[in-house]
Amino acid sequence: MATKLGDYKTQVHNDWCPGCGDFGIVNAIQMSLTEMQIPRHKAAIFSGIGCSGKTSHFINVYGVHTLHGRVLTFAQGAKIANPEMTIVAVGGDGDGLGIGAGHFVAAGRRNVNMTYIIFDNAVYGLTKGQASPTLKLGEQTKSLANPNSNYNVNPIALAISSGFTFVARSYSYDVRQLKNIITAAIKHKGLSFIDILQPCPTYNDLYTRDWFAGIDQINEETKKPTPRIYNLSDTGYDPVVHYSTITELNEKLSQALEKSLEWGNKIPTGIFYKNELITPYTKRITDKIPNYLENPAAKQKISKNGKSTTDVSDILDSLKI
Amino acid sequence: MAFDYSWLIGGPQGSGVDTAANIFSRVSAKLGYHIFGKREYHSNIMGEHSYFVVRLSDEKISSNVNGANIMVAYDAETLIRHCLEIFKGGAIIYDSSVIDTTIDEIPTLEVGYKKRLLEFFKSKNMEPNVSSIIDLAKKNGVKVYPVSFRDVLANIANELGKPELSRMVRLFNILGVSFSLGILKAPIEPLLETIEDTFSKKPSIIELNKKAANFSYNYASAKFSDFQDSISNNGKSENTLLVQGHQGSALGKMVCGCRFQSYYPITPASDESEFLETHEILQVREDRPGSTSIIQTEDEISAIGMAIGASLTGVRSATSTSGPGFSLMAETLGWAGINEVPVVITLFQRSGPSTGLPTRHGQDDLLFAINAGHGEFPRIVYASGDVEDSFYDTGKCFNFADIFQVPVIHILDKFIASSIVTCNRFDPDLVSIDRGKLLEKIDGDYKRFALSEDGISPRSKLGLENGIFWNTGDESDEYGHITEDPVTRIQMMDKRQTKVEQIISLIPKEDQAVVYGKLDICIVSWGSPKGPILDAIEMHKQDGYEIGFIDIKLLHPFPTDYIKSLLIDSSIVIDIEANMTGQLASLIKENLLRDPDYYILKYTGRPMTCTEIFDSLKKILEKKAEKKQVLSYGD
Ligand SMILES: Cc1ncc(C[n+]2csc(CCOP(=O)(O)OP(=O)(O)O)c2C)c(N)n1
Ligand code: SF4
Ligand SMILES: [Mg+2]
């Protein structure tokens, strides 16, 4: 029986502020799961701590709301132990790029087959609006006493240089594009990353819905705002690495890095970089353990009638004197 | 009198002292001796002093003694540090090239050590150099055998017609062991067999090593023939293993079905993970091969996070670490607590605080293991006293984790990790597997944290149909959704806390504490002092004194009533542990409202010897002991 959008929703009261960009992201994840018809028990949402961290409670699949900054560690452990699960990890920009930045980089290097989504609102929402790692130097959002004194992290560039093999950006109010990108990310063979620009109407008075819509950039002729957000795919941009040549790989990495620097009047969204030629972690395991995918940890039988079925006699023999 | 013999080998780190000691241990074990060996080394890769002591006996032994009968010294520092530990009638074989070395020429002596040394030389009116300390050893009745390792190597190279070999100083290992076995007139075959086993992965060097062994064995038996001690064939038992400390828990994990271990490298824990990875593909009876996923993570926070993630899929999962890494795990441990996730943390203690003595022994993390993490949640802290126990206890720890759905901290330490011992072959049939309330099938409405009498709810796992649940580090309702409702809070806190009573009442008494002898005069201890304590008790028994011993294994929750009942008639209680403050004693004080009468403590980073414990117990028996005795033997 086909699952419907409603099947992926829980009854849990959603306590995000009215107008929060997070709503669009939850909807898009649910739409994507519906579109792909992923059985509810075969999917798990792992989340960090922050406003964004509550996401797992709103989606009716396995939901693991972890610790501040640690979501990727839990998620990778689960995926490696049970590679049949569809795993989406989500969290805030503070969660993933501040306290969890080490895990972010390490996860990229592993390239475990799952998806990681950052809710990028440039503030620490749940702790009342402090500067997050994506807020730019000198910017001052509403609850800051002084302008931000740190340079910002570039999530797209960091993901690319850490080894993520699918790197995209989307916008939380463009739920259709968002859903499409989430679906592409989940289908990607390797670790996919989506940086979602997520307005926080409560604490971020700089990157507002209006700002993204460009209401301060009125076109002289049409007298209409010129939206900042545009889609890379509308510009003929090709993010995919097609051949395993160094030249092509370097070209694709460079173009993605260059695009990641674009910010201000025009902000690119869409897929920046996609490379399925880099081995996913699964392949790195099956190279050592050939039957890993048929018989991963979660499927192995370890006992019969309460007794161990593992046979270590060869190892014990080797220790015999 | 039992045969009891200790052999010491020392040299700069990286010179192969370990290989030599492993070969010596294996040869002695092949001859049928019981072995207890310990390895001491600096936090350094090359150049600092390291040594290995192997004790052999024809009876079961479980510790080292003070001193040794025979020593092989590769360098001046070994002579300086250990010469005077050699017993009267013993022997020292040393590289003659170091004889003129002065104290000032040894750069690796610590400032404080050097100062004490110079004072010692001065007090004896001796020149501060190697030759005078050797003279002193001679005066003490020790035979000394200088030998030029280089010349012997050159002769071997000559004999083989391969002059380039004279530069292969790595062969010094084989020389050292072979001299030792030659002087002790041990049969040579076990040595040649052991060389084959040791280098089986590099067949090209087997022959060379055998030739070198033969040559130096004969050299020693010819040139050192005035030395009388000998070891001989003792008849070996079929059922004996020679194991290294980290192999017990690793094999325990394989057998009990742990299929996921994440770790970040740290001494003395990583050897265990590396051993598991070497054997990551597992043979399974009547089934296709299984495997363990061993993941080296970016830090210990990730290590425990991954292990928990894996455990949520129903897999028996663990992480393995030491103090600094465990400190980083504290927050995540609490997450496992509130979410009732079974996960095993194998904690190989070393000396803290901070980086402390990173390659040395200590038992200073007991109270931290019990209290790590903020908030109140049940956990189990369980300790093993030796390698053999660590094999069986590992399986028990996984059962506890599954049955009670709590994190289990299984405490081992550097002493266990870097010892090499003979023991009975591990018996996997004695390991039972109990997964508690883990579900394989679910129908109808499911609540992961359903309130229940015993505090333990049926457990689903990621991927199970109809078993969807939520986890959160926040307080939650029965489904696992966040709640701040005060009534639910009480229910959930109480539910989790109920497990404490379950743990105490369901874990069998014999797994909570192991009792040895009559408990009138009674030692209480935990973990690795077990070996030296048992040996010391045996020594006193031969002198006609009976001392009892309670090895407390379940340290948290503390088995108060059971321990109280055991100690009820004890007239003297003696606490023995390798830390400064007596951490077990503080648990006894807190729970039993009884202060041990005596403390025997050690916090130099060096393991206790049975000699030290024997001596301290003797003082207590003679009523000459202070309340607290602090041990300090060992370099
Ligand atoms: C170890 C730790 N330190 C601090 C906190 C407090 N804390 C909760 S949420 C948060 C920041 C959240 O910001 P972000 O990750 O950007 O998520 P958002 O709320 O913006 O979605 C912090 C610092 C915590 N929960 N844990
Ligand atoms: S504080 Fe900002 S991010 Fe958090 S719920 Fe409110 S609007 Fe959303
Ligand atoms: Mg944020």
Side-chain angles (χ1 to χ4, degrees), chain B residues 380 382 400 404 502-512 554:
Chain B
I380 290 175
Y382 200 77
F400 300 158
F404 304 109
Q502 295 289 318
I503 292 165
I504 295 286
S505 67
L506 292 179
I507 293 183
K509 292 267 185 299
E510 62 270 24
D511 289 337
Q512 300 189 1
L554 178 65

Side-chain angles (χ1 to χ4, degrees), chain B residues 498-562:
Chain B
T498 309
K499 297 181 190 181
V500 171
E501 295 145 35
Q502 295 289 318
I503 292 165
I504 295 286
S505 67
L506 292 179
I507 293 183
K509 292 267 185 299
E510 62 270 24
D511 289 337
Q512 300 189 1
V514 182
V515 178
Y516 300 86
K518 288 211 199 91
L519 303 180
D520 175 27
I521 301 174
C522 180
I523 295 169
V524 287
S525 185
W526 64 285
S528 66
K530 174 187 168 188
I533 289 172
L534 288 176
D535 283 354
I537 288 178
E538 189 56 38
M539 290 156 77
H540 276 292
K541 202 184 234 165
Q542 286 174 11
D543 290 356
Y545 296 101
E546 178 140 23
I547 301 174
F549 168 36
I550 307 173
D551 175 18
I552 304 181
K553 302 178 69 108
L554 178 65
L555 293 146
H556 185 87
F558 197 76
T560 304
D561 292 341
Y562 182 45

Side-chain angles (χ1 to χ4, degrees), chain A:
Chain A
M1 206 175 63
T3 38
K4 301 182 299 297
L5 185 61
D7 297 334
Y8 292 99
K9 296 185 191 260
T10 62
Q11 303 299 312
V12 176
H13 166 68
N14 190 324
D15 59 3
W16 284 326
C17 310
C20 174
D22 291 355
F23 288 103
I25 307 178
V26 175
N27 289 340
I29 295 173
Q30 288 160 336
M31 285 159 64
S32 168
L33 291 170
T34 317
E35 179 175 273
M36 287 192 281
Q37 285 292 298
I38 298 176
R40 287 172 45 231
H41 66 282
K42 291 279 183 197
I45 309 291
F46 284 71
S47 59
I49 294 288
C51 299
S52 45
K54 296 181 181 174
T55 302
S56 50
H57 294 281
F58 305 135
I59 303 178
N60 196 2
V61 301
Y62 282 96
V64 186
H65 182 195
T66 67
L67 286 167
H68 195 34
R70 315 302 169 202
V71 60
L72 282 172
T73 71
F74 287 71
Q76 290 170 96
K79 179 70 186 184
I80 293 168
N82 186 350
E84 288 181 2
M85 294 297 291
T86 294
I87 293 206
V88 178
V90 304
D93 42 4
D95 197 83
L97 300 167
I99 190 168
H103 306 309
F104 184 91
V105 172
R109 295 172 51 218
R110 266 184 216 105
N111 199 28
V112 172
N113 191 4
M114 56 180 219
T115 297
Y116 180 41
I117 299 175
I118 281 188
F119 294 29
D120 184 353
N121 55 11
V123 290
Y124 280 11
L126 195 58
T127 45
K128 301 195 186 298
Q130 299 87 347
S132 96
T134 56
L135 189 69
K136 294 181 172 37
L137 178 64
E139 288 180 340
Q140 186 170 12
T141 45
K142 169 143 116 192
S143 46
L144 297 189
N146 290 298
N148 181 18
S149 51
N150 293 309
Y151 198 79
N152 69 296
V153 169
N154 178 334
I156 300 284
L158 185 63
I160 290 168
S161 48
S162 303
F164 283 79
T165 49
F166 177 110
V167 180
R169 181 190 281 145
S170 189
Y171 178 50
S172 64
Y173 292 122
D174 186 351
V175 178
R176 251 175 59 92
Q177 184 212 39
L178 189 50
K179 184 259 314 173
N180 289 339
I181 289 186
I182 293 172
T183 301
I186 292 176
K187 287 187 172 156
H188 173 73
K189 293 191 182 63
L191 181 60
S192 46
F193 170 63
I194 313 171
D195 175 37
I196 301 183
L197 303 173
Q198 173 247 314
C200 163
T202 306
Y203 293 113
N204 192 331
D205 51 347
L206 300 177
Y207 303 148
T208 58
R209 187 174 199 153
D210 287 346
W211 184 79
F212 284 114
I215 60 158
D216 56 328
Q217 321 187 106
I218 301 295
N219 184 308
E220 303 256 305
E221 283 166 26
T222 62
K223 306 282 179 234
K224 281 195 179 147
T226 321
R228 289 189 156 80
I229 303 277
Y230 74 97
N231 201 332
L232 283 171
S233 62
D234 295 340
T235 66
Y237 180 94
D238 177 13
V240 181
V241 179
H242 300 277
Y243 319 100
S244 20
T245 67
I246 286 289
T247 332
E248 195 218 8
L249 176 65
N250 286 348
E251 270 168 21
K252 290 284 153 75
L253 288 168
S254 311
Q255 86 169 0
L257 288 170
E258 202 176 326
K259 275 289 164 203
S260 80
L261 298 172
E262 213 175 294
W263 187 267
N265 295 343
K266 288 186 88 50
I267 299 172
T269 61
I271 301 170
F272 283 64
Y273 173 73
K274 176 174 164 71
N275 185 351
E276 284 187 337
L277 302 172
I278 306 261
T279 53
Y281 200 68
T282 349
K283 172 74 173 68
R284 302 175 202 172
I285 302 181
T286 49
D287 284 348
K288 310 184 295 173
I289 304 170
N291 76 353
Y292 160 70
L293 276 179
E294 303 99 74
N295 198 23
K299 277 200 174 170
Q300 293 177 40
K301 296 264 177 299
I302 57 168
S303 65
K304 194 172 170 185
N305 303 327
K307 286 291 164 194
S308 170
T309 48
T310 313
D311 181 1
V312 292
S313 46
D314 283 355
I315 308 173
L316 293 177
D317 286 347
S318 73
L319 299 173
K320 229 167 70 175
I321 44 169

Side-chain angles (χ1 to χ4, degrees), chain B residues 69-81:
Chain B
N69 301 75
I70 186 163
M71 163 163 98
V72 179
Y74 287 118
D75 64 354
E77 184 166 357
T78 303
L79 288 164
I80 294 289
R81 286 187 186 264

